Amino acid sequence: MIEHRSTTRHPVSIDTTVTFQDTQSGQTIVNLSLGGALLTFGERLPIGTRLDLVFRLPTSDTDIAVGSVVRWVAEDSIGVQFDGLRAREVWSLNEYFKQFEG
């Protein structure tokens, strides 16, 4: 399988609130990058479904709220691509990711 991601995903366990179709649910982000995330998700959503995520990094006191789109679906997880992050959120994520550097 050829890897097409342009950013490195890091293993994490971060609670997130997912909103789609006026429904909110608590989920867990299990890997995270500047471009997207892998979430535990018991429901099979169609590829292309738009979601809003809200989560807080352990190293921050501010929530990150970002729109996203489902790019792939597995039995108990979904991969999402972020619509875009603000500069402050990119900085916060990069600071958080420093702990994963060799």
Side-chain angles (χ1 to χ4, degrees), residues 2 21 32 38 48 61 67 70 90 102:
I2 298 172
Q21 298 175 346
L32 180 65
L38 174 67
D61 59 358
V70 175
V90 170

Side-chain angles (χ1 to χ4, degrees), residues 20-32:
F20 70 102
Q21 298 175 346
D22 297 325
T23 303
Q24 283 189 340
S25 65
Q27 305 297 331
T28 302
I29 297 172
V30 295
N31 74 33
L32 180 65

Side-chain angles (χ1 to χ4, degrees), residues 6-88:
S6 60
T7 57
T8 302
R9 290 208 176 188
H10 302 281
V12 299
S13 181
I14 298 173
D15 292 334
T16 184
T17 300
V18 178
T19 304
F20 70 102
Q21 298 175 346
D22 297 325
T23 303
Q24 283 189 340
S25 65
Q27 305 297 331
T28 302
I29 297 172
V30 295
N31 74 33
L32 180 65
S33 75
L34 290 176
L38 174 67
L39 310 165
T40 59
F41 213 85
E43 186 176 340
R44 294 184 64 89
L45 298 176
I47 291 174
T49 300
R50 302 208 53 78
L51 308 171
D52 291 312
L53 306 180
V54 178
F55 60 94
R56 183 172 293 185
L57 300 172
T59 55
S60 177
D61 59 358
T62 305
D63 288 343
I64 292 176
V66 63
S68 62
V69 62
V70 175
R71 291 295 180 206
W72 63 265
V73 178
E75 187 172 322
D76 62 351
S77 60
I78 59 173
V80 300
Q81 180 181 10
F82 296 148
D83 288 338
L85 297 165
R86 295 177 296 213
R88 168 175 251 172

